[in-house]
Amino acid sequence: MLYLIRYGEIALKGKNRKFFVDTLTRNIKESLQGLEARIISEHSRIFVEVNKEEHDEEVKHRLQRVFGIVSLSPVSTADLSVEDIQERALELLQSSHTPPFTFKVETRRANKSFSYTSPEMNKMLGAYLLKNMLNNMEDISVDVHNPDVELFVEIRGQEAYLFLESYPGPGGLPLGVSGKGLLLLSGGIDSPVAGWLCMKRGLQIEAVHFHSYPFTSERSKEKVKELAQKLAEYSSSSINLHVIPFTEIQKEIQLHCPKELSITVMRRMMFRLGRDLAQILRAQVLITGESLGQVASQTIENMHAASIGVDLPVFRPLLGMDKQEIINKSQTINTYDTSIKPYEDCCTVFLPEHPVTRPKLSRVNEIEQNLDVDALIEKCLHNYETFTFKLTRQHTYI
Amino acid sequence: MEEIYLDNCSTTPLFTEVMEAMYKAQLQYGNPSSLHFKGIQAEKYVEEARKIIAGALKASPEEIIFTSGGTEANNLAIKGLAYRHYRKGSHLITTPVEHPSALNTFQQLQQEGFSVSYMRIDQDGYIDLDYLKTMLSNNTTLVSFIHVNNETGTIQNIKNICRMVKDFNPNILVHADGVQALGKIPLRPGQYNLDALTISAHKIHGPKGTGALWIKNGVLLQPLFQGGNQENNLRPGTENVAGITGFGKAVSEYINSYAGKVANLHRFKHLFFQELKEKVEVYINGPELKQGAPHIINLSFPGIKSEVLIRSLEEQGIYSSPGSACHSRNNQPSHVLVSLGLNKERIDGAVRFSFSVLNTEEEIEYSAKQVAHCVKDLQKLVF
């Protein structure tokens, strides 16, 4: 099987184009590791040739998860002669469709030195197919408005490419071209989507999770690992998840801070830990799943209070999304089913009845005097665990 | 770190002897239905176990039908009896505090057109007998209830229930779910005038995936599955020879080697509770200490969420369960504790400790101390 890969936006990147295309090619190569496939880079197209039939589906599955790819099609190639193009077209149609059906031919002649124009080719190919497709001619017919089957023919410099279908890729920019970010991954619906959206714009990510055993269960940690695994399917290679033990901070907050401000203080501690971990990992930005006004802690005042001490940019890609939009996205990227598993995270166990929505910074600072912030942070950072999740094979056969 | 397992209502560790017996049985790979020697060998294993289990219930071997566990046995009894006796009537009676394998089976029958009534229970989980009497009708064919409740340890008075039902009409069938009763309290289904009784292997240190239904000689039952003629045509499918062997071995170990230790369970429960009561505020959910099953105690501590306490205890190597293990994966409150009329805080805080003959007195004392310790620690955080 030969896949033709299309990339959109990258082609417009002017002088940086080579960097973008090279990164994309490298990501494709990496994501196809372990499969019998090779990459053929040519002008503004990339082809992937699969040499083992049982890897076809897996290659398609993975390519559809490489950021930067707009779409891909399984293609047949033909020499630059009308006869060869006709024969290949017939083969392609016969192997994929059984009459009766209606069809249409759509030719694009990129190579203007080819001797027939696109409309001429459409006509010639259509006539040939009608005449040669099986015996009973009544079973197939041309329908240019609403065909069952569309045959695309692209005539290029060296060869012509024929294909029937296109599968969407995730679009966006190749992973890594934008740098590296650290995702605060909670186990809910939002944060994996936030991470995915940043990956889509070319950010390589690592994830951090704050674990408060025994206030949250071992299963909730497993759930976060599962989410990291789901994101790893889009990573071209792997994703690191860092789990920071948060119990001690949680206890200190419960003991020393007024209930209604406990969430604000907790989130400040998380951002501080995020900042310090980002420094260790050389990540340039923190990513969160916050959506403006979704819950009490996601007001301007609370967001400000949370990140004011962090001298890194904070990306909140879900800021303008409604809950339903986020849910829809999480279903598309396949994290939803994991996110809704009913294990509590530390936010839900200690959720006070009336958290403050507009905390005063002076008051928060005053309360934090009761905590030995630096010592707590340092202790937590000493004990984090790291798990690596690799791209896994989705299509296997007995 | 030492491990102390106090979640024996969920399941129990295998007796070593059971493991050995199962290994031996696995080596005999024959199919009991085969005509040749291999088949006969395997059949012997199955029939030996059947005899042991029947003996323990003072029943005869042909009254035992092996199943894949308690859930299947409950399904077989409830659906099997309801369908088979449908012509006599379509009214079924059960309680609101059943195990989900019974409760959901009744709900399905209800959807299929049976009428299902639910008995009243009091705050300790006991069936209101006077009310039950008013529920019986000429259309009633089956009364089914859980003998020892898996969440609270409430023991129903089987004899009185059977007597009342049979006095009203001897043709009404009575089924009891005896999964938590087996091995813990005497079980004589024939003497009680029961018609069917569910039991399971893995609650008495036998293997998971094996259970049985005792069905009184002469009581007709419709099978759940179609297939070969195994288990008296009532439960087709090649027998789980190793599982059944393990079940038999667990029962015989109980009778022969652990008979004395069952009496300890009551003592453990008292000891555990007394230790706790001295140190922290604690409430029993269910019947008072003396009355409940010897191995189950369901407790709540003010202000403590069960999940958090359970995980704190796990850090100390002590394993326990929220109200009921079967509910721990969804956030629904236990239907049993709701039926007892307990408030939300009590239900959210309910932790079930369940003991086994393999626990020791030291373990119980140590655990009680740890529980008290954890409770005090956690209460600091929530108050």
Side-chain angles (χ1 to χ4, degrees), chain B residues 312-358:
Chain B
S312 306
L313 288 171
E314 189 184 337
E315 274 191 315
Q316 312 301 320
I318 298 167
Y319 295 94
S320 56
S321 242
S324 166
C326 289
H327 303 283
S328 59
R329 283 189 201 177
N330 55 46
N331 286 334
Q332 298 285 313
S334 149
H335 67 280
V336 174
L337 300 183
V338 170
S339 300
L340 262 50
L342 297 175
N343 66 33
K344 190 175 179 306
E345 201 199 1
R346 279 278 285 276
I347 295 173
D348 282 350
V351 179
R352 182 188 65 187
F353 299 93
S354 46
F355 312 113
S356 97
V357 290
L358 295 181

Side-chain angles (χ1 to χ4, degrees), chain B residues 57-319:
Chain B
L57 300 176
K58 293 255 184 299
S60 45
E62 64 274 15
E63 292 178 313
I64 302 291
I65 305 165
F66 287 114
T67 68
S68 65
T71 291
E72 190 193 326
N74 271 345
N75 271 267
L76 176 60
I78 295 163
K79 286 186 195 153
L81 292 172
Y83 292 151
R84 188 65 177 76
H85 301 273
Y86 181 63
R87 279 192 216 144
K88 288 182 210 150
S90 60
H91 179 226
L92 318 169
I93 299 175
T94 187
T95 81
V97 293
E98 296 302 300
H99 185 269
S101 61
L103 210 57
N104 292 331
T105 302
F106 276 108
Q107 271 166 19
Q108 195 196 318
L109 288 171
Q110 205 163 3
Q111 281 167 13
E112 289 173 13
F114 284 89
S115 105
V116 178
S117 310
Y118 296 89
M119 297 181 224
R120 268 191 203 157
I121 57 154
D122 68 16
Q123 57 177 12
D124 290 340
Y126 291 104
I127 290 169
D128 180 340
L129 285 176
D130 294 334
Y131 186 70
L132 171 58
K133 202 169 183 176
T134 66
M135 296 168 80
L136 297 166
S137 79
N138 292 332
N139 195 28
T140 308
T141 54
L142 173 66
V143 173
S144 170
F145 60 93
I146 186 163
H147 184 15
V148 171
N149 190 276
N150 56 310
E151 295 192 34
T152 58
T154 309
I155 306 173
Q156 303 299 346
N157 190 330
I158 265 197
K159 262 191 215 166
N160 287 355
I161 295 169
C162 286
R163 191 181 307 134
M164 170 184 290
V165 173
K166 299 287 181 181
D167 279 354
F168 180 84
N169 175 359
N171 291 328
I172 298 177
L173 300 164
V174 186
H175 162 252
D177 174 355
V179 167
Q180 295 294 348
L182 182 67
K184 315 299 178 357
I185 57 173
L187 266 186
R188 306 279 178 267
Q191 283 177 24
Y192 306 148
N193 219 352
L194 264 180
D195 297 285
L197 175 76
T198 295
I199 55 177
S200 169
H202 75 110
K203 312 289 190 188
I204 57 159
H205 308 276
K208 292 158 190 69
T210 308
L213 183 68
W214 169 86
I215 180 102
K216 188 161 93 183
N217 262 333
V219 172
L220 300 174
L221 190 67
Q222 181 174 316
L224 292 174
F225 314 128
Q226 276 55 56
N229 59 4
Q230 292 91 344
E231 302 296 302
N232 248 337
N233 289 317
L234 290 172
R235 206 287 186 173
T238 300
E239 295 85 343
N240 174 4
V241 177
I244 291 169
T245 306
F247 193 1
K249 189 67 179 172
V251 168
S252 71
E253 281 299 307
Y254 242 92
I255 294 169
N256 299 323
S257 311
Y258 292 93
K261 301 214 167 157
V262 176
N264 285 346
L265 295 176
H266 246 302
R267 209 157 45 77
F268 287 173
K269 195 169 81 163
H270 279 264
L271 183 68
F272 188 75
F273 186 70
Q274 289 310 327
E275 284 282 332
L276 276 175
K277 213 173 98 181
E278 278 169 26
K279 298 189 175 76
V280 292
E281 198 181 340
V282 53
Y283 301 99
I284 299 180
N285 306 314
E288 60 172 290
L289 276 190
K290 275 183 207 151
Q291 289 185 359
H295 62 306
I296 304 175
I297 187 165
N298 192 319
L299 303 172
S300 294
F301 306 90
I304 307 283
K305 265 187 135 185
S306 60
E307 286 197 41
V308 176
L309 177 57
I310 284 159
R311 290 194 288 263
S312 306
L313 288 171
E314 189 184 337
E315 274 191 315
Q316 312 301 320
I318 298 167
Y319 295 94

Side-chain angles (χ1 to χ4, degrees), chain A residues 83 105 112 133 177-178 198 211 222 225 291 295 312 389:
Chain A
E83 293 74 25
V105 180
K112 299 298 179 201
M133 186 82 187
V177 295
S178 303
C198 285
H211 189 48
E222 290 306 313
K225 286 189 193 169
S291 163
V295 293
L312 282 180
F389 299 92

Side-chain angles (χ1 to χ4, degrees), chain A residues 198-216:
Chain A
C198 285
M199 289 167 81
K200 183 182 167 193
R201 295 310 295 170
L203 258 187
Q204 191 203 334
I205 64 164
E206 302 203 24
V208 58
H209 177 67
F210 303 100
H211 189 48
S212 302
Y213 193 87
F215 303 111
T216 59

Side-chain angles (χ1 to χ4, degrees), chain B residues 18-47:
Chain B
V18 168
M19 233 182 287
E20 283 161 3
M22 288 178 74
Y23 180 73
K24 228 175 109 192
Q26 292 281 29
L27 293 177
Q28 313 298 332
Y29 53 84
N31 183 333
S33 300
S34 294
L35 283 178
H36 49 65
F37 177 64
K38 286 275 165 208
I40 294 167
Q41 253 183 340
E43 192 187 359
K44 269 191 186 154
Y45 275 95
V46 172
E47 293 317 312

